[in-house]
Amino acid sequence: VQLQASGGGLVRAGGSLRLSCAASVRTFSRYLMGWFRQAPGKEREFVASTSPGGSTHYADSVKGRFVISRDNAKNTVYLQMNSLNAEDTSVYYCAGGSPRWSERWVRRREWDNRSAYDVWGQGTLVTVSS
């Protein structure tokens, strides 16, 4: 299983970007999918997730500004980022939780836990200029 993230770049504060993550797996629709980010010198943190059933969850810092979605026909998950600010500058990572791996975490409602995901993409850099 491979995850290929794309769509990062340089954007001005207040602007928007859309990240994409393509998965090479036949059972994509059954995967928990998430986005995490890591700023220089900081821990990797949860941004958003979408479950196989379609429910979505967000970190408080991005709620109301970011939208996660998935297209199971294209094996792709997206992160639409609006009203970007300098604090959103990070490397963004796409992550996938295979059904057997992630189900225990999802049962505990821990979709924001890095351990719920067993496949990670390479990261894409988002830089927001003020």
Side-chain angles (χ1 to χ4, degrees):
V1 179
Q2 288 188 323
L3 301 178
Q4 183 69 42
S6 61
L10 175 65
V11 63
R12 289 193 174 185
S16 299
L17 274 178
R18 188 177 82 154
L19 305 182
S20 300
C21 175
S24 61
V25 60
R26 288 186 297 175
T27 56
F28 176 80
S29 63
R30 297 172 57 201
Y31 270 63
L32 171 70
M33 296 301 298
W35 287 96
F36 287 73
R37 66 186 183 185
Q38 187 168 17
K42 293 190 176 182
E43 294 284 319
R44 191 171 300 188
E45 64 176 4
F46 171 78
V47 176
S49 67
T50 174
S51 71
S55 60
T56 57
H57 300 89
Y58 297 92
D60 287 342
S61 59
V62 307
K63 206 170 289 184
R65 299 188 298 123
F66 291 11
V67 178
I68 188 171
S69 61
R70 66 192 299 160
D71 185 337
N72 290 332
K74 295 182 178 180
N75 282 13
T76 301
V77 62
Y78 304 96
L79 184 68
Q80 177 66 44
M81 306 185 294
N82 302 318
S83 302
L84 287 161
N85 57 59
E87 288 69 40
D88 296 316
T89 295
S90 286
V91 176
Y92 284 72
Y93 295 90
C94 173
S98 58
R100 287 188 178 183
W101 181 270
S102 64
E103 62 179 356
R104 54 187 151 159
W105 304 99
V106 173
R107 273 202 307 271
R108 299 205 294 254
R109 304 174 67 81
E110 291 186 33
W111 34 73
D112 58 345
N113 191 323
R114 286 183 292 178
S115 298
Y117 303 85
D118 54 341
V119 184
W120 291 82
Q122 84 286 4
T124 185
L125 176 63
V126 173
T127 304
V128 183
S129 63
S130 55

